[in-house]
């Protein structure tokens, strides 16, 4: 699907929340199952983690996966095999949708094909795995079974250099989008690793709201919009396909269905909740990733809300426009309301 010339951005309202503490505890990331189950990657205090399966009825189904130390991200392929990056043991592990191990690969080191605290993972347009090799300050590409293909990047802050890259996404044209954690910016590269541009560490067309503080996970939707888990600022930042700042999401969550059930059945929790102001309970706390699903009327943004142990979901309302439906760009930005 080609990117539209322009968009009428009609809104991006909060839709619902899934999960709660003790179920989606310290949720790092999530992936989508074929039957509308969500596979939520969680961390435990200290070391460890698991994949928690929940559904849209907010039911806790079960957990799968084992042997994680510091799991970071989870993605799936067309056959519903799930890939998990683990910075604690420098591996990528594979699991089927019922929890059977399908192997793992990776070893610690700095040579080609070795890993040092891998974090973000994404499939490229050839079905290979792109990995943010964080402490080696580079991006590496592997076959799904772990055979090294290529890499690019080196330590630094100049254009094309990286300092602890975390998030990685691949656009429909093969562009590799990297959350450059310690450089507080997003960088874009060709599929061959050539630098294209960067944004997020300077004002965008007079707006400074899009300046990042420790960007983590990144994703791109069917319109080409880029979403960044701006972890140090406890929010998600949205940019358009050209890297222009569009919007930010600080959290507007209500209680999940499971959360309501727990609070209503626990007098102490209910009393404590009634004693505190509600506004802080809506906000995001340290999101490490952001995911996007669907298109058209079913465009949904999912935010694993790490510090609040839940998944916040928002619905994108935008309409594609052709070139003859949009004025030429004005000399100064303004907001037209109807």
């Amino acid at each position: 699907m080609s990117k539209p010339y322009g968009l009428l951005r009609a809104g991006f309202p909060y839709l619902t929340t899934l999960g709660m503490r003790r179920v989606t505890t310290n949720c790092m990331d999530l992936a989508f199952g074929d039957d509308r189950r969500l596979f939520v990657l969680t961390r435990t205090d200290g070391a460890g983690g698991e994949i928690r399966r929940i559904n849209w009825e907010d039911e806790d189904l079960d957990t799968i996966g084992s042997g994680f130390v510091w799991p970071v991200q989870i993605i799936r392929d067309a056959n519903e095999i799930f890939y998990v990056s683990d910075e604690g043991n420098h591996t990528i592990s594979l699991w089927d949708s019922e929890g059977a191990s399908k192997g793992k690969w990776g070893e610690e080191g700095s040579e080609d094909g070795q890993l040092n605290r891998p974090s973000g993972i994404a499939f490229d347009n050839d079905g290979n795995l792109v990995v943010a090799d964080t402490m080696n300050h580079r991006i590496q590409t592997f076959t799904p079974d772990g055979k090294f293909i290529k890499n690019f990047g080196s330590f630094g802050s100049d254009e094309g250099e990286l300092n602890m890259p975390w998030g990685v996404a691949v656009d429909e044209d093969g562009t590799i989008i990297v959350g450059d954690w310690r450089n507080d910016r997003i960088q874009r590269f060709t599929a061959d690793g050539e630098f294209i541009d960067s944004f997020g560490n300077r004002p965008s067309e007079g707006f400074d709201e899009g300046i990042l503080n420790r960007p983590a996970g990144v994703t791109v939707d069917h319109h080409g919009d880029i979403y960044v888990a701006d972890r140090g600022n406890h929010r998600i930042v949205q940019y358009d396909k050209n890297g222009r700042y569009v919007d930010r999401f600080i959290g507007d969550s209500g209680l999940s269905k499971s959360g309501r059930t727990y609070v209503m059945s626990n007098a102490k929790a209910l009393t404590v909740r009634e004693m505190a102001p509600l506004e802080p309970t809506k906000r995001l706390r340290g999101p490490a990733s952001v995911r996007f699903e669907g298109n058209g009327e079913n465009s949904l943004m999912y935010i694993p809300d790490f510090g609040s142990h839940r998944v916040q979901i928002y619905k994108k309302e935008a309409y594609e426009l052709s070139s003859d439906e949009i004025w030429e760009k004005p000399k100064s930005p303004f907001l037209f309301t109807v």
Side-chain angles (χ1 to χ4, degrees):
M1 180 183 295
S2 61
K3 299 173 186 175
Y5 181 85
L7 291 175
L8 169 59
R9 301 180 184 277
F12 219 134
Y14 163 77
L15 181 63
T16 193
T17 292
L18 301 175
M20 60 174 290
R21 187 190 293 268
R22 292 171 296 277
V23 179
T24 49
T25 301
N26 292 337
C27 44
M28 290 291 296
D29 196 17
L30 62 84
F32 309 106
D34 285 341
D35 53 2
R36 300 291 286 167
R37 290 182 297 182
L38 295 182
F39 291 70
V40 182
L41 184 64
T42 68
R43 279 191 180 186
T44 54
D45 292 335
E50 60 192 10
I51 303 169
R52 178 77 68 161
R53 299 193 297 185
I54 62 174
N55 59 22
W56 264 83
E57 285 69 49
D58 201 24
E59 297 171 324
D60 176 18
L61 302 178
D62 55 13
T63 62
I64 62 174
S66 62
F68 302 126
V69 180
W70 296 328
V72 182
Q73 289 207 321
I74 180 171
I75 60 175
R76 57 155 292 182
D77 66 14
N79 297 316
E80 208 176 14
I81 300 298
F82 295 86
Y83 295 67
V84 177
S85 61
D86 193 327
E87 63 176 334
N89 59 25
H90 316 286
T91 63
I92 308 296
S93 60
L94 286 66
W95 309 86
D96 71 16
S97 60
E98 297 307 313
S101 172
K102 309 304 285 187
K104 67 179 180 180
W105 48 264
E107 63 175 354
E108 184 179 4
S110 58
E111 299 297 321
D112 287 352
Q114 293 180 325
L115 299 168
N116 190 350
R117 294 181 62 178
S119 51
I121 51 178
F123 289 111
D124 68 13
N125 293 345
D126 295 320
N128 295 313
L129 203 67
V130 181
V131 181
D133 187 10
T134 301
M135 295 308 296
N136 284 324
H137 312 289
R138 65 187 178 184
I139 303 298
Q140 299 209 72
T141 302
F142 300 85
T143 63
D145 59 358
K147 294 182 175 63
F148 171 75
I149 299 176
K150 59 186 177 182
N151 57 33
F152 67 86
S154 60
F155 176 76
S157 58
D158 291 339
E159 291 183 347
E161 294 179 335
L162 300 165
N163 189 345
M164 294 180 64
W166 180 318
V168 63
V170 179
D171 205 345
E172 63 178 14
D173 60 5
T175 298
I176 298 173
I177 306 165
V178 179
D180 192 1
W181 168 268
R182 289 296 295 271
N183 284 324
D184 296 317
R185 66 186 177 186
I186 301 299
Q187 295 202 75
R188 291 194 285 194
F189 301 86
T190 68
D192 295 323
E194 297 178 3
F195 173 78
I196 298 173
D197 62 9
S198 67
F199 53 90
N201 59 342
R202 58 186 179 274
S204 173
E205 298 183 351
F207 297 95
D208 62 4
E209 290 91 340
I211 295 178
L212 300 168
N213 179 12
R214 299 299 185 256
V218 298
T219 195
V220 59
D221 72 13
H222 59 292
H223 293 137
D225 282 351
I226 297 165
Y227 304 83
V228 182
D230 187 15
R231 198 169 195 193
N233 285 324
H234 304 282
R235 64 183 185 177
I236 303 299
V237 180
Q238 178 188 12
Y239 302 89
D240 73 5
K241 62 185 179 182
N242 299 312
R244 180 185 66 85
Y245 168 75
V246 174
D247 204 351
R248 57 183 173 175
F249 303 85
I250 61 173
D252 196 27
S253 180
L255 270 175
S256 64
K257 179 179 178 181
S258 57
R260 292 194 301 271
T261 300
Y262 173 78
V263 170
M264 290 298 293
S265 62
N266 188 315
K268 183 176 181 180
L270 178 60
T271 301
V272 171
R273 181 177 173 83
E274 284 298 301
M275 292 172 62
L278 285 180
E279 182 178 357
T281 70
K282 302 178 182 180
R283 306 306 181 213
L284 295 167
R285 292 196 293 164
S289 68
V290 54
R291 294 297 181 186
F292 208 89
E293 180 189 36
N295 53 61
E297 294 183 358
N298 298 312
S299 300
L300 299 178
M301 176 177 64
Y302 296 73
I303 307 172
D305 190 358
F306 176 87
S308 294
H309 317 291
R310 62 193 176 189
V311 178
Q312 296 196 37
I313 304 173
Y314 294 76
K315 180 180 175 62
K316 184 177 186 179
E317 297 177 357
Y319 303 90
E320 298 184 5
L321 302 174
S322 62
S323 58
D324 60 359
E325 294 176 297
I326 300 179
W327 285 354
E328 292 184 5
K329 186 177 179 180
K331 294 182 179 180
S332 60
F334 63 92
L335 179 64
F336 181 73
T337 58
V338 293

